[in-house]
Amino acid sequence: MLVVEGRAVRHGRIEPAAIGIEEGKIVAIRKQLRGDPVYRYADALILPGGVDVHVHLREPGLTHKDDFLSGTESAAIGGVTTVVDMPNTKPPVTDGAALREKIRLLSGSANIDFGLYGGPATAAGVPEMKRATAFKVYLAESGNAVPVGTDADLAGILRAVGESGSFLAAHCEDPERFAAGVAKSLSDHHRSRPPEAEVAAIERVARLRGNARVHIAHVTTAEGARSRPAGATCETTPHHLLLSTTSNLGTRGKVNPPLRPDATRDALWREVLEGGIDMFASDHAPHTLEEKSARFEDAPAGVPGVATTFPVLFRYVRRQILPLERFVSMFSENPAKLLRANKGEIAVGRDADLLVVDPRRIEKVTARRCRYKCEWTPFEGAEATFPTATFVRGELVAQEGELVTERIGRMITPTEA
Ligand SMILES: [Zn+2]
């Protein structure tokens, strides 16, 4: 039996524990356990590994921006042990053949566990993509993603997803609420795709939902979170919580939905602290610096982030602004529940996905520290606490910022009904 010792975070409490692991699963949690090997982390914290339900790792077809091997290395270094990749790769994952090809291509290239979204254009695409972890629709154009058509198309997809037992993640912006004109700055971009567009699109999903499980991607406003239908989950991103239209980022801060003004951003934080948002997700969507060096209106939208969710948000845990229990539920537990994956909690029977962190260690974010293929991060220079070790199903994958075990990631399968 492999044993990991430290101060484990369980049910919001911190207790010295020895975590026994066999065949990738937690089999015992005691004060002391005998095992071989034993990883001793003394008074460092042990948390469940992060589950990031929203990443764009760019493979296939866009691998000059990122790829699965590199993106999952960045994830592991940031304490993320499961990612779910979006379908707007090249070719897009819109049918069974494209999904099968993506699974074939990526198997063997993942350093952590992963799931894949299917992006059905119509209801017929859903049953074709049985092996998809979940499904994604865009209600507005964003980058190379094609928006869903009529209400009937969306209702049909929702019905098919409901029958599949999976869930539909929705990028909620209503293009009818977009302002005309050319956006030349982060403030312009915010005004051109305003908060009202977010709320209107969420209301459209709520109206057509039927019995489907629905997840609202990247809410940028407290109003957006509150307008989601009962029982639906929502995520927000570290960039929408920590950056704003006043961040001096230019095109590097261009993202859809946009960064908001400080006051909107602060209200979003309060919503997190009050428990109104279910989970963090990075919406890791890298572009090269060359692509981002275009004029504002021509630059592609998206920022990298899969490595920084834990490091930049843990600062707020350390300062006791964000309670540890809420952080763990938003970073690990709730996204694992959404996926119905056997992850997200330090408990007997769960996959042994763990991150180890010394809360006293403070450093600065750099693109190199994140191992980003795109070579930049919007959080460059920010105060951060990176994990010292990351385990995936009991395997030590990353340690002290270095990948130590490669390509052990597997595609996740739902475990509960
Ligand atoms: Zn996205």
Side-chain angles (χ1 to χ4, degrees), residues 137-187:
V137 288
Y138 289 79
L139 273 67
E141 146 292 316
S142 184
N144 60 339
V146 181
V148 69
T150 62
D151 277 2
D153 292 333
L154 180 54
I157 290 169
L158 281 157
R159 203 173 320 113
V161 169
E163 284 161 12
S164 79
S166 183
F167 69 90
L168 187 71
H171 177 126
C172 286
E173 290 185 282
D174 179 355
E176 295 197 0
R177 310 293 173 108
F178 289 177
V182 180
K184 294 198 171 288
S185 68
L186 291 177
S187 293

Side-chain angles (χ1 to χ4, degrees), residues 98-123:
L99 179 65
R100 279 191 296 277
E101 177 57 18
K102 188 164 173 177
I103 292 172
R104 191 194 63 75
L105 187 73
L106 300 182
S107 298
S109 302
N111 294 309
I112 60 166
D113 287 351
F114 67 96
L116 298 175
Y117 283 97
T122 62

Side-chain angles (χ1 to χ4, degrees), residues 5-312:
E5 290 179 0
R7 293 194 300 148
V9 178
R10 304 176 63 216
H11 318 296
R13 283 197 301 276
I14 300 172
E15 283 170 350
I19 300 167
I21 299 163
E22 275 175 359
E23 290 173 3
K25 289 199 165 39
I26 298 171
V27 294
I29 304 168
R30 307 262 173 76
K31 287 241 153 55
Q32 284 180 324
L33 280 170
R34 243 185 258 198
D36 182 29
V38 179
Y39 294 93
R40 293 196 171 87
Y41 291 109
D43 56 357
L45 298 180
I46 306 174
L47 278 69
V51 177
D52 189 339
V53 301
H54 192 155
V55 301
H56 302 259
L57 299 185
R58 305 305 196 191
E59 191 170 351
L62 301 160
T63 53
H64 63 290
K65 299 175 196 274
D66 203 353
D67 59 60
F68 229 69
L69 201 58
S70 172
T72 55
E73 176 178 359
S74 298
I77 283 163
V80 170
T81 49
T82 304
V83 288
V84 192
D85 194 55
M86 285 296 171
N88 60 332
T89 36
K90 218 168 144 183
V93 181
T94 51
D95 58 30
L99 179 65
R100 279 191 296 277
E101 177 57 18
K102 188 164 173 177
I103 292 172
R104 191 194 63 75
L105 187 73
L106 300 182
S107 298
S109 302
N111 294 309
I112 60 166
D113 287 351
F114 67 96
L116 298 175
Y117 283 97
T122 62
V126 174
E128 259 190 55
M129 292 186 277
K130 272 195 183 60
R131 291 174 71 190
T133 307
F135 299 91
K136 169 77 179 282
V137 288
Y138 289 79
L139 273 67
E141 146 292 316
S142 184
N144 60 339
V146 181
V148 69
T150 62
D151 277 2
D153 292 333
L154 180 54
I157 290 169
L158 281 157
R159 203 173 320 113
V161 169
E163 284 161 12
S164 79
S166 183
F167 69 90
L168 187 71
H171 177 126
C172 286
E173 290 185 282
D174 179 355
E176 295 197 0
R177 310 293 173 108
F178 289 177
V182 180
K184 294 198 171 288
S185 68
L186 291 177
S187 293
D188 287 354
H189 190 54
H190 149 69
R191 283 188 293 266
S192 73
R193 303 173 74 120
E196 303 83 80
E198 175 170 290
V199 172
I202 293 170
E203 285 169 349
R204 184 178 175 207
V205 171
R207 188 159 46 80
L208 301 171
R209 173 175 65 143
N211 296 319
R213 283 206 292 147
V214 165
H215 175 69
I216 310 297
H218 44 51
V219 295
T220 67
T221 63
E223 293 74 24
R226 287 180 203 148
S227 55
R228 73 189 187 275
T233 50
C234 73
E235 71 191 31
T236 194
T237 74
H239 50 272
H240 289 111
L241 287 169
L242 301 177
L243 307 174
S244 73
T245 51
T246 59
S247 303
N248 224 340
L249 286 165
T251 56
R252 291 193 196 187
K254 183 177 175 184
V255 62
N256 292 333
L259 298 180
R260 301 301 183 193
D262 291 340
T264 313
R265 188 258 319 257
D266 294 348
L268 183 66
W269 253 120
R270 284 195 293 279
E271 197 64 22
V272 166
L273 298 179
E274 284 164 14
I277 294 178
D278 302 284
M279 66 195 76
F280 301 118
S282 67
D283 194 7
H284 174 80
H287 300 285
T288 65
L289 282 170
E290 195 190 337
E291 290 164 335
K292 281 288 200 184
S293 69
R295 286 188 308 178
F296 193 94
E297 57 270 41
D298 301 326
V303 297
V306 73
T308 46
T309 302
F310 181 89
V312 297

